[in-house]
Amino acid sequence: MSSPRAVISVIGSLNVDLVTRTARVPVGGETLTTESFDIGFGGKGANQAVACARLSRTQQQAQNGGEGDVEVRMVGAVGDDEFHEGFLKSLQKDGLNTDRVQILKGKKMGVAVIIVETGTGENRIMLCPGANGDVQVEDLVDGDATVALFQLELPLDVVLHNMKTARQKGVETIINPAPAIPLPEEAYQGLDHLIVNETEAAILSGIENPPSWDEVAAVFVARGVQNVIITLGGEGVFYKTSKQQSSGEPGRIVPARKVKVVDTTAAGDTFTGAYTVAVARWKVMSQEADFDLDAAIAHANRAASLTVQKAGAQSSIPWADEVPEA
């Protein structure tokens, strides 16, 4: 008897990335000769979908058409310009189902202009939504989905509508609210997993320079979130659950791996993808046991640590067999 198959629906953005690498960012009115320029595929939605697909199978499985135990569906929109065909083929090569990606006539792809400082690996991103901004408010969550994963690069009303739809259908719901904007209370009510970085945590909680991450997490738990995950860069990942909050237990920090950083682009997306795969597998296999946050976060940290050691967005996301066990 075959094992049940998890289905992850990633409802989010698809962008073309225009990436320039430079020793430093120019000041106003200054022209610099940069080190390199590349065109790649990105968007937080597509990056996280690729991370889910790659981190749930090996590259050989994808090349051989192997389905594995997780199906990943990309849901969103692209323009009908010169980029969309290559983008969809790239997603399919990684093992993604792209049947729910709309091709909008007369529209341009979303575009992200990315500047990477080669000395630190830090990036600065300017985003033009393109076709992503034309996704309509309608039900995009399939009834057979195990997990629905959201970001904030689609129109907010589309995201909020489908988060509500996912909860109504009993689909485990995860949001990585980036780029961060204050969200209405309804976004948090019954939310299973909230994944934010330090900046996003401050914007969404309203607490700047918090005395402790427990205080920030308590805000989200009070709004209705079950699991709060705050990524802290080189300091690791903090998490707190509603059960910990109820029992008075403090949150925990899972340490990060120490590596040489080349480019931080898509590191957060890799973390989110790896975490989502862990949730999906748990949801279909072992709901009697509590979700092992320590193990899921430690694995997601290891996957993200590989991403930051390579340049690029989707091209830097590892496959499952590339991530070390410990």
Side-chain angles (χ1 to χ4, degrees), residues 9-46:
S9 285
V10 183
I11 300 168
S13 58
L14 301 97
N15 295 324
V16 175
D17 289 341
L18 308 178
V19 185
T20 299
R21 292 180 176 81
T22 179
R24 64 177 178 83
V25 177
V27 299
E30 181 185 17
T31 299
L32 285 180
T33 299
T34 64
E35 297 178 11
S36 66
F37 172 77
D38 292 294
I39 298 176
F41 300 130
K44 293 199 74 65

Side-chain angles (χ1 to χ4, degrees), residues 175 206 287 320:
I175 186 169
Q287 290 187 63

Side-chain angles (χ1 to χ4, degrees), residues 60-293:
Q60 186 174 8
Q61 282 178 314
Q63 290 172 343
N64 294 338
E67 294 183 341
D69 64 338
V70 178
E71 178 185 355
V72 184
R73 300 172 185 167
M74 182 71 231
V75 185
V78 294
D80 65 348
D81 56 20
E82 64 271 27
F83 294 113
H84 82 272
E85 187 173 337
F87 200 151
L88 295 180
K89 286 182 178 178
S90 177
L91 295 178
Q92 292 159 6
K93 185 177 179 181
D94 282 335
L96 280 148
N97 181 325
T98 60
D99 292 347
R100 298 295 303 277
V101 178
Q102 305 171 60
I103 302 173
L104 303 183
K105 299 298 182 183
K107 300 294 182 179
K108 295 284 189 182
M109 289 282 306
V111 173
V113 177
I114 303 172
I115 300 174
V116 180
E117 288 185 296
T118 53
T120 63
E122 291 296 324
N123 62 62
R124 292 166 174 81
I125 302 175
M126 295 175 289
L127 177 67
C128 179
N132 298 302
D134 291 299
V135 175
Q136 299 299 302
V137 179
E138 58 185 359
D139 290 355
L140 299 173
V141 180
D142 294 328
D144 65 340
T146 310
V147 177
L149 173 59
F150 300 89
Q151 316 78 31
L152 292 180
E153 288 185 348
L154 295 185
L156 182 58
D157 52 356
V158 173
V159 175
L160 295 176
H161 173 84
N162 280 285
M163 288 178 66
K164 182 178 180 181
T165 298
R167 290 193 290 265
Q168 290 172 342
K169 292 182 177 180
V171 177
E172 194 87 0
T173 306
I174 303 174
I175 186 169
N176 172 220
I181 56 173
L183 296 174
E185 291 293 322
E186 66 183 272
Y188 302 100
Q189 294 167 5
L191 176 61
D192 297 301
H193 308 266
L194 174 69
I195 302 175
V196 290
N197 63 22
E198 296 168 85
T199 302
E200 293 153 1
I203 292 171
L204 294 167
S205 68
I207 302 176
E208 295 185 16
N209 302 314
S212 74
W213 292 116
D214 276 292
E215 183 174 328
V216 174
V219 171
F220 295 126
V221 170
R223 293 174 182 172
V225 182
Q226 298 302 304
N227 299 284
V228 179
I229 298 95
I230 304 174
T231 59
L232 307 173
E235 300 303 312
V237 179
F238 171 91
Y239 75 82
K240 189 165 193 175
T241 68
S242 59
K243 288 183 179 180
Q244 288 172 322
Q245 183 70 25
S246 297
S247 64
E249 295 178 50
R252 294 196 58 188
I253 288 184
V254 179
R257 297 184 80 211
K258 303 301 180 183
V259 297
K260 177 177 174 54
V261 176
V262 174
D263 183 354
T264 59
T265 305
D269 298 331
T270 301
F271 177 93
T272 299
Y275 180 89
T276 300
V277 169
V279 171
R281 284 176 168 157
W282 164 77
K283 186 75 173 174
V284 299
M285 293 297 295
S286 57
Q287 290 187 63
E288 295 82 7
D290 287 339
F291 179 56
D292 191 342
L293 274 158

